[in-house]
Amino acid sequence: MCTVEKRGNLFILTLTGDDEHRLSPSFIASILKALSKVKSEASPGSVLITTSHGKFFSNGFDLSWAQAAGSVSAAAERLHHMVQIFKPVVAELLSFPMPTIAAIAGHAAAAGFLLALSHDYLIMRSDRGVLYMSEVDLGLTLPDYFSALFKSKIGSSSVRRDVLLTGMKVTGEPAVRMGIVESAHEGADGVMKAAVRLGEQLAERNWNGEPYAEIRKSLHPEISRLLGLPEKVFSISKL
C-alpha cells in the first residue's frame, strides 16, 4: 500500500499500485506506519515527498467498503470510522518534523485532496489530474477538521466557495492561479522532478525539525486545536 525510500535527505513516501488509493482503514494504517518510519529516521535537513503510482493520488475514503456494511446506518458508522481514523494522518502531517511536499501525479478527491492539502507544498501535473471535493455532489457534510484545514490553507473565500460549494474540478494551471498549488508540470516525471528539486533546496537549509513543526502549527491555530496538537516551548539553551 505504501513504500518509503530514502534518497539522501529526502524521504519518498509512495502510495503504490494502479488503483484509486482509496483511504480504507488498512490503507490509513499503512500511511501512519510509513510516516512513523520516516519520523523515526529524521535528522536536520530531512524532507518528506508523498507521491503515488497510477491515475490517482487518492480518490478519498473507501465508500465501497462503507456501503458493503449492509444497511444505511452501518454504512454511516463505517464512514464515520474512516473520518475519525484519518484525523491522525492530518495531525501527523501538520506536526511533522520536516518540510513536506505532495507530488500529485493524478486525481486527488475528497479525503485524498485533504491528504495532499495537509502538506506544506503541493505540486501538480499540468496535463492531467484534478483536485475535487465531491462531498457537495454526494450529499455529504464536511467533518470539522476538513473545513478548518481548507480555511487555514486556502486564503481566498471565493476559491473555498468554488471548491467546496460548487464541486469545482480544478486542474493544474488553474490550481496555481487559485493559490492552491505551487506549480504545475508536464507528466508524472515532471511533477516528481519538480518535487525533488524543491525538496533538495529545502534540505540544504538543514533546519531542525521540531522548531519547524512548531512554527507550522502556529500558522494554523484553528486546525491544530481541533486536532489536539500540543504546543511545545523551546528555551534559548535548546537553540
Side-chain angles (χ1 to χ4, degrees):
M1 291 185 178
C2 295
T3 61
V4 174
E5 175 192 358
K6 193 172 189 296
R7 302 183 196 171
N9 283 330
L10 306 184
F11 290 90
I12 314 295
L13 192 165
T14 304
L15 312 181
T16 58
D18 292 327
D19 58 10
E20 297 182 2
H21 306 129
R22 288 278 185 173
L23 296 166
S24 64
S26 58
F27 205 111
I28 292 169
S30 178
I31 294 173
L32 284 170
K33 182 177 180 181
L35 292 174
S36 178
K37 174 179 172 60
V38 172
K39 190 158 68 169
S40 71
E41 299 177 13
S43 60
S46 291
V47 176
L48 172 71
I49 298 174
T50 303
T51 189
S52 64
H53 293 156
K55 294 194 303 181
F56 289 87
F57 181 78
S58 171
N59 205 18
F61 290 136
D62 191 345
L63 299 183
S64 294
W65 176 75
Q67 292 163 351
S71 70
V72 173
S73 61
E77 287 178 5
R78 284 191 173 187
L79 179 57
H80 179 71
H81 176 63
M82 287 185 284
V83 168
Q84 292 303 113
I85 64 174
F86 184 61
K87 199 172 182 179
V89 174
V90 178
E92 190 72 13
L93 286 167
L94 284 182
S95 60
F96 215 59
M98 64 185 72
T100 59
I101 303 167
I104 309 166
H107 307 301
F113 188 170
L114 202 81
L115 175 63
L117 197 63
S118 298
H119 292 72
D120 298 327
Y121 302 90
L122 281 66
I123 297 174
M124 279 185 75
R125 287 179 68 158
S126 58
D127 59 322
R128 182 178 179 180
V130 298
L131 303 175
Y132 171 45
M133 289 302 288
S134 57
E135 284 78 357
V136 69
D137 292 328
L138 296 175
L140 298 172
T141 57
L142 287 178
D144 57 358
Y145 69 95
F146 277 46
S147 302
L149 187 67
F150 270 88
K151 185 177 179 182
S152 184
K153 289 295 193 93
I154 299 178
S156 168
S157 60
S158 61
V159 171
R160 295 197 303 269
R161 177 201 62 205
D162 290 344
V163 170
L164 298 175
L165 291 178
T166 75
M168 177 185 286
K169 295 179 179 179
V170 187
T171 55
E173 294 296 347
V176 175
R177 292 194 295 270
M178 295 165 79
I180 302 172
V181 305
E182 299 298 312
S183 57
H185 305 268
E186 183 79 18
D189 287 345
V191 168
M192 197 60 195
K193 286 178 181 177
V196 168
R197 185 164 57 248
L198 174 59
E200 289 174 343
Q201 292 169 355
L202 294 169
E204 288 177 357
R205 303 299 300 273
N206 203 42
W207 286 315
N208 184 323
E210 287 193 33
Y212 184 93
E214 291 305 308
I215 293 170
R216 183 200 289 118
K217 287 190 293 183
S218 73
L219 294 175
H220 308 293
E222 180 183 355
I223 180 67
S224 293
R225 284 194 297 271
L226 275 174
L227 296 172
L229 295 175
E231 294 182 12
K232 293 182 181 178
V233 177
F234 293 90
S235 65
I236 295 297
S237 62
K238 200 169 183 179
L239 298 178

